[in-house]
Amino acid sequence: MYDKLIDHIRQNVPGTSIDKQTIEEYFTPQLFEKKEHFLKQGYICKLAGFVIEGCYRNYMISAEGKEVNTGFGFENWWLGDVSSFVNQTPTLINTQFLENTRLLTITAKNHIDLFEKSQCFREYTYKLRSKATMASVLKLSELSESARTRYKVLLEKYPKIQQRVSQRQIASFLHITPEALSRLRKSEIS
Amino acid sequence: MYDKLIDHIRQNVPGTSIDKQTIEEYFTPQLFEKKEHFLKQGYICKLAGFVIEGCYRNYMISAEGKEVNTGFGFENWWLGDVSSFVNQTPTLINTQFLENTRLLTITAKNHIDLFEKSQCFREYTYKLRSKATMASVLKLSELSESARTRYKVLLEKYPKIQQRVSQRQIASFLHITPEALSRLRKSEIS
DNA sequence: TAAAATCGTTGACCTACATCAAGACTTTTA
DNA sequence: TAAAAGTCTTGATGTAGGTCAACGATTTTA
């Protein structure tokens, strides 16, 4: 259980000596059911979580009141809103599980403690944060392309996504309707 | 010159005691001309910069080879790509000045030193980084709305942008053609 | 296990925005 | 300061993807 997180830290901060006991002390295993929310717009993000098993979507509410997916996460991903978590301000992000999901969670207070205490965890956090920023920017440039191109790029990047995420959810992420995605898939095959 | 940066740090980390001499030691004033690039895709981001006076655009190249603006920056904003700067990996961002621009720049090495040395600068960096992440995510949800709505939202957020940035550049940011923006503006007024 | 809800597909029709082209105005360059 | 380049506008025309509606298949709920 904890090993998955420790492995992930090791992968991102090579040659480090992270203490297993410290991890067990600061993180709590937690189970969420499909459709449950981890985070809702307007609330303060009290926990950060690391996915052991399962998957989730992040979405926002557009000015017209529609849900728009901004991303998905699977095993070995972090969830929580950095901005809200760090500054303890209301978040704009919604996170909902698409499968029953097992997490390791950490409170903001524990996160600060661990951040102060462990050089290794500091580097790990730092590294992940830069990666996350990059990912969200990448997404923006893709949006100037046709839905077809965006869909292709998505499948190239995450070939397995079709097995885990419904077309409705993928369509929302691509900023098109489920009908449009259906037609696009049809024309793609034939 | 240096005061603008010091003021900005004070505003973001209230009640701090930042040493003016330290700032002068670590940062270098630099002048860029309109149309010059601060950062180009594929290169490693060697400098971070703080805008004293002037303005810039960030853009990316889409898969179809077109420039797509991802944002603008003015006085008191930072430029540079965190991911590239921190990990010294090639950037995906292009930054070009839209006016002659005065900056205070800092090298990656100096940034690390100052980050280690100054608790205050650490907090400042940390805070700005969270803000930046938020801004880019915000942008994503807006893209599901009509061009008209996106334009309105942009003007509400940055009413002065019209005086500083050409319609071409704004159109690119809104993911529409300059023609479409022109027509949209016309129908808005009448 | 029956009823209700959700999902993916398809058809008919509509509209927001793209593309191409051309002219008037302004800014940059030599 | 004349020529060249870029900007904004407007017109004509094309198209990707939206909306609404309906149906069978699957999943969820009671």
Side-chain angles (χ1 to χ4, degrees):
Chain A
M1 179 101 192
Y2 290 98
D3 292 342
K4 277 199 99 164
L5 174 53
I6 290 166
D7 284 354
H8 196 245
I9 295 173
R10 285 227 180 85
Q11 275 164 36
N12 279 280
V13 191
T16 194
S17 61
I18 185 85
D19 180 21
K20 184 168 177 176
Q21 204 174 338
T22 308
I23 295 294
E24 292 186 4
E25 191 182 322
Y26 279 84
F27 286 86
T28 313
Q30 229 173 321
L31 207 80
F32 287 86
E33 300 234 318
K34 185 171 174 173
K35 290 193 184 170
E36 264 191 279
H37 276 83
F38 182 77
L39 206 55
K40 269 191 188 171
Q41 195 163 20
Y43 291 85
I44 288 167
C45 180
K46 301 282 187 189
L47 295 173
F50 178 81
V51 181
I52 301 296
E53 188 182 7
C55 101
Y56 66 88
R57 67 177 179 128
N58 284 332
Y59 67 92
M60 305 184 78
I61 309 290
S62 78
E64 283 149 11
K66 288 184 205 160
E67 294 184 1
V68 183
N69 290 344
T70 55
F72 304 102
F74 305 91
E75 286 75 19
N76 290 339
W77 292 51
W78 279 88
L79 22 69
D81 174 15
V82 175
S83 169
S84 172
F85 191 67
V86 170
N87 306 318
Q88 293 288 295
T89 52
T91 182
L92 291 161
I93 297 176
N94 301 275
T95 303
Q96 185 188 35
F97 296 102
L98 299 173
E99 299 173 356
N100 296 339
T101 301
R102 278 199 294 147
L103 297 180
L104 289 178
T105 60
I106 184 168
T107 62
K109 194 189 166 306
N110 270 354
H111 195 275
I112 291 164
D113 283 2
L114 190 53
F115 194 83
E116 287 292 322
K117 182 175 162 180
S118 160
Q119 158 73 10
C120 156
F121 189 71
R122 211 149 52 228
E123 278 184 40
Y124 174 66
T125 306
Y126 208 56
K127 206 154 194 180
L128 288 197
R129 206 152 289 171
S130 333
K131 276 192 193 169
T133 304
M134 211 175 82
S136 74
V137 171
L138 252 179
K139 188 62 185 38
L140 265 177
S141 77
E142 286 166 12
L143 268 168
S144 75
E145 287 144 35
S146 69
R148 166 164 279 107
T149 309
R150 275 176 269 151
Y151 183 54
K152 274 188 195 164
V153 170
L154 178 68
L155 290 190
E156 275 164 28
K157 261 202 247 169
Y158 306 102
K160 289 175 293 178
I161 205 168
Q162 292 179 104
Q163 278 102 63
R164 303 279 299 262
V165 179
S166 72
Q167 281 178 225
R168 286 193 103 66
Q169 300 298 348
I170 291 175
S172 165
F173 179 77
L174 297 172
H175 292 244
I176 56 174
T177 56
E179 292 96 321
L181 178 55
S182 174
R183 281 185 247 266
L184 195 157
R185 281 161 54 85
K186 194 187 176 188
S187 74
E188 205 71 13
I189 296 157
S190 55
Chain B
M1 181 100 193
Y2 289 97
D3 292 341
K4 277 200 97 165
L5 175 53
I6 290 165
D7 285 352
H8 196 245
I9 294 173
R10 286 227 181 84
Q11 275 164 36
N12 279 279
V13 190
T16 193
S17 60
I18 186 85
D19 180 21
K20 184 169 177 176
Q21 204 174 337
T22 308
I23 294 294
E24 292 185 3
E25 190 182 321
Y26 280 84
F27 285 86
T28 314
Q30 231 174 320
L31 208 80
F32 286 86
E33 301 233 317
K34 186 173 174 171
K35 289 193 186 172
E36 265 191 280
H37 276 84
F38 183 78
L39 205 56
K40 269 191 188 172
Q41 194 164 20
Y43 291 85
I44 288 167
C45 179
K46 301 282 188 190
L47 295 173
F50 178 81
V51 181
I52 300 297
E53 190 182 6
C55 100
Y56 66 88
R57 69 176 177 127
N58 284 332
Y59 67 91
M60 306 184 77
I61 310 291
S62 78
E64 283 147 11
K66 289 184 203 159
E67 295 183 1
V68 183
N69 290 344
T70 55
F72 304 102
F74 305 91
E75 286 75 16
N76 291 340
W77 291 50
W78 280 87
L79 22 67
D81 173 17
V82 176
S83 168
S84 172
F85 191 68
V86 170
N87 307 317
Q88 293 288 296
T89 52
T91 182
L92 290 162
I93 296 175
N94 300 275
T95 303
Q96 185 189 35
F97 297 102
L98 298 173
E99 299 173 357
N100 296 340
T101 300
R102 279 198 294 146
L103 297 181
L104 290 179
T105 60
I106 185 168
T107 61
K109 192 188 167 308
N110 269 354
H111 195 275
I112 290 163
D113 283 2
L114 190 52
F115 193 84
E116 288 290 322
K117 182 176 161 179
S118 161
Q119 158 74 8
C120 157
F121 189 71
R122 212 152 49 228
E123 277 184 41
Y124 174 66
T125 306
Y126 207 56
K127 205 152 193 180
L128 289 196
R129 205 151 289 172
S130 331
K131 277 191 193 170
T133 304
M134 211 174 82
S136 74
V137 171
L138 252 178
K139 187 64 185 39
L140 265 177
S141 77
E142 287 165 13
L143 268 167
S144 74
E145 285 142 38
S146 69
R148 167 165 280 108
T149 308
R150 274 176 270 153
Y151 182 55
K152 275 188 195 165
V153 170
L154 178 68
L155 290 191
E156 276 165 26
K157 261 203 249 171
Y158 306 103
K160 291 176 293 181
I161 205 166
Q162 292 179 105
Q163 279 104 61
R164 305 277 299 262
V165 179
S166 73
Q167 283 179 223
R168 282 195 104 64
Q169 300 297 349
I170 292 177
S172 165
F173 178 76
L174 297 173
H175 292 245
I176 56 175
T177 57
E179 293 96 322
L181 179 56
S182 173
R183 281 184 247 265
L184 195 156
R185 280 162 54 86
K186 194 188 176 188
S187 73
E188 206 72 13
I189 296 157
S190 54

